[in-house]
């Protein structure tokens, strides 16, 4: 698959066929993703691949309370209860995300992506605002995973809702203390057709030339 095409059409897949995912496809995906950049080329990412049905159910049980709390906080719960009056596309997305949460144990493969905290170069740690730079040494790897999955014809759903359950995930999967959980990717063969292009803002809305506010492209 052409790289630019993959970038335009690697959606969040939340409904999967029950077909198993070949181990070789997962290994090829990880093999390609490992060329991601990281601060000092420390490559602190670590991945636990979960296929076992009991563990998948345990992951769903850890995910659901955080998903429900998120739904409450963001107004999603109200949107699901009384969808009239909300943007139908948004309601569809929240419904999809809710189904995904309820059926998480049916997702064939779960990738738990962690990062060795000692490998992170957190250059904004002293700034009087929320730190963001640490993630830059693991999320390029996560995006590479998503693109490589797309290249393999596999769908993926990136979420971070298991991160607040990090302690429980750590004990379930025997992940050492020095590893912070960064992402969870549900993987399988996508049940829906692939979109030709994802819905995203145009360049003119977010890229500027020379100074903030001066559009780069029309
Ligand atoms: C940091 C992060 C957290 C996300 N968390 C969730 C989540 O909890 N549940 C979910 O269904 N999708 C989650 N997503 C997927 C987004 O909803 C998705 O990327 C966005 O709606 C765009 O959808 P599309 O890529 O299919 O166009 C998350 C994505 C990111 C990058």
């Amino acid at each position: 698959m052409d790289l630019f095409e993959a970038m335009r059409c690697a959606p969040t897949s939340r409904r999967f066929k029950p077909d198993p995912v070949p181990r070789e496809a997962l290994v090829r995906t990880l093999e390609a993703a490992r060329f991601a950049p990281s601060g000092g080329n420390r490559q602190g990412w670590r991945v636990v691949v979960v296929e076992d049905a009991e563990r998948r159910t345990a992951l769903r049980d850890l995910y659901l309370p955080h998903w429900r709390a998120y739904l409450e906080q963001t107004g999603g719960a109200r949107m699901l209860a009384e969808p009239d009056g909300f943007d139908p596309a948004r309601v569809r997305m929240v419904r999809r995300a809710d189904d995904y949460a309820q059926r998480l144990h049916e997702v064939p493969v779960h990738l738990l992506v962690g990062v060795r905290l000692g490998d992170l170069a957190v250059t904004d740690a002293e700034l009087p605002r929320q730190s963001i730079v640490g993630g830059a040494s693991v999320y390029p790897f996560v995006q590479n995973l998503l693109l490589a999955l797309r290249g393999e014809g596999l769908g993926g759903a990136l979420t971070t809702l298991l991160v607040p359950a990090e302690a429980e995930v750590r004990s379930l999967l025997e992940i050492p203390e020095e590893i912070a959980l960064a992402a969870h990717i549900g993987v399988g063969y996508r049940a829906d057709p692939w979109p030709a292009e994802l819905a995203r803002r145009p360049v003119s809305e977010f890229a500027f030339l020379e100074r903030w506010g001066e559009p780069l492209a029309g």
Side-chain angles (χ1 to χ4, degrees), residues 10-12 14 63 67 93 97 100 158-161 198-200:
T12 299
R14 299 189 179 89
Y63 185 99
W67 167 247
M93 206 259 272
Y100 176 73
L158 162 63
T159 73
T160 52
L161 282 174
L198 304 177
R200 298 292 191 266

Side-chain angles (χ1 to χ4, degrees), residues 36-47 113-120 137-138 141 178-180 182:
S38 58
N41 201 18
R42 303 284 289 270
Q43 304 165 62
W45 49 76
R46 301 289 185 272
V47 181
V113 183
V115 64
R116 263 174 53 102
L117 284 169
D119 284 338
L120 299 181
S137 283
V138 63
F141 170 77
E178 80 231 42
I179 306 291

